[in-house]
Structures are given as C-alpha cells and as structure tokens.
Amino acid sequence: FAQLNPCFNAINERIVQSIKQVQKKTKRRRFNILDLGAGTGLQARMLVREFPNANIYAVEQDEMFFEYHKKCVKPFPNVIARCHNIVSFRSRQKADVIIVRLVYHHIPDKLKSRFLRNIRANLKSRGRLIIVEECLGKYLNEFERRKRDEKYHRYRIELAERTGDPAYVVYQTKI
C-alpha cells in the first residue's frame, strides 16, 4: 500500500508517535486504543506490534471487511474486534486513544455530529483523538476518478494474491 500511497508509512509513524505520547502521560503499561472503522485489520496489526500491552478495540461496520479483519487479528488476543455501526458504538471501557483513519468522509453529513459526540463519550477525559483523512486532488472528469479507483482496487487484489494475506483484499464495487 505504501507504493500506492507514499504517505502511508509516514502516517503510521505519526500515529505511533502520538500514541506513545499518550502512553507516556498515562504512565500505565496497559492502555486502551479504540479503532473506529478498522477496515481489514492492517492498522490493528501495526498497533499490536508497536503496543503489545495495549487493549485494542477494533470496530468495523462493513461485514465483508470485518470478516477479513477477524482473520488478520486472530493471532492477537489483545485485539477485540467487533462488527458494529461506528456512529453509535459504545465501548465498555473508555479509550485513551481513538483512531478514525480514512473513515470520516464515509459518514453521511447528517450523522457526523452524532459520530463526533459518540467519540467524545468513548474517550477518556485526557484521551487523544487521531483523525486521518486523505485529501485527494480534483479530477478532470468522472472517467479519471474511476480509473484511479480501478487502479487502487487492482493493486489491492494483486497484493492479496501475491502475499496470500487476506488483510489486503477489499471487495470490488461497481466502478
């Protein structure tokens, strides 16, 4: 994915550094990370490697992504994966860190304020919210947008086939 998006590794590093700051402030070895819109599990795997003592709550509402996610995080007992609507999800444990990565633009405008209120309800008072979004350039026309989307999906499918890793698989939508 880093080949398709050169910022991918830099974004991961920024997320990790931000979480390390929170961890340092909490002075606890065990802390809670809530990943809303957890996708296929790539981020959860990165987080569990970087923070083996963290409880990682990964919530994905798309059932197909969630099935891949479960396979991806199965070896990690400290990742608790849930298939649930991310706008209304409430965790039993408030989070020290909430991550919303490449998800916010998928939330309908009329639900965004509810989503943000829900984030606040799930976040500890001194917790940190990390929102990552891509700002894509404008395309000359619909054909160029579709061409970009097709290239992205083709790359992900080829990567899954080459590596045998289900976390790279995404379902194909009609383009």
Side-chain angles (χ1 to χ4, degrees):
F1 193 65
Q3 294 171 349
L4 189 63
N5 182 345
C7 298
F8 188 75
N9 291 332
I11 290 168
N12 282 346
E13 188 57 36
R14 293 287 306 262
I15 289 171
V16 167
Q17 291 308 314
S18 187
I19 295 171
K20 284 181 178 178
Q21 290 172 0
V22 172
Q23 185 182 28
K24 191 175 183 179
K25 286 180 184 177
T26 64
K27 296 178 182 164
R28 286 183 285 125
R29 284 186 43 154
R30 198 139 203 58
F31 59 103
N32 299 326
I33 299 171
L34 174 58
D35 183 6
L36 291 173
T40 59
L42 287 176
Q43 181 163 274
R45 281 199 328 203
M46 181 267 300
L47 291 170
V48 80
R49 279 183 227 158
E50 290 288 336
F51 305 100
N53 293 320
N55 297 313
I56 300 166
Y57 300 91
V59 182
E60 175 54 49
Q61 67 185 29
D62 182 286
E63 290 179 15
M64 193 172 288
F65 275 0
F66 182 70
E67 289 304 313
Y68 291 118
H69 186 97
K70 284 192 310 188
K71 292 174 188 172
C72 186
V73 300
K74 189 176 182 178
F76 307 107
N78 58 326
V79 177
I80 298 100
R82 298 282 181 261
C83 188
H84 196 284
N85 182 315
I86 64 170
V87 172
S88 62
F89 177 79
R90 289 291 171 104
S91 178
R92 291 185 184 149
Q93 300 289 323
K94 287 200 173 203
D96 297 289
V97 176
I98 295 179
I99 302 170
V100 178
R101 182 178 184 160
L102 305 175
V103 171
Y104 191 71
H105 65 278
H106 290 290
I107 297 173
D109 289 343
K110 64 183 179 181
L111 296 177
K112 285 185 176 173
S113 62
R114 182 175 167 202
F115 178 63
L116 293 171
R117 283 192 304 274
N118 193 46
I119 286 173
R120 179 178 277 189
N122 281 302
L123 190 62
K124 290 182 180 177
S125 63
R126 295 201 172 264
R128 181 168 294 180
L129 169 62
I130 301 170
I131 297 179
V132 176
E133 276 296 324
E134 281 188 314
C135 298
L136 300 175
K138 290 188 177 185
Y139 295 93
L140 295 175
N141 53 43
E142 183 66 12
F143 175 76
E144 284 203 10
R145 184 196 65 77
R146 288 180 182 197
K147 194 167 123 183
R148 185 253 2 236
D149 287 349
E150 185 178 311
K151 180 180 177 184
Y152 169 78
H153 288 290
R154 195 175 326 111
Y155 170 79
R156 294 289 300 249
I157 291 166
E158 288 171 5
L159 190 59
E161 289 171 350
R162 191 169 59 248
T163 65
D165 188 339
Y168 290 107
V169 177
V170 295
Y171 64 92
Q172 282 188 292
T173 56
K174 291 183 181 177
I175 299 177

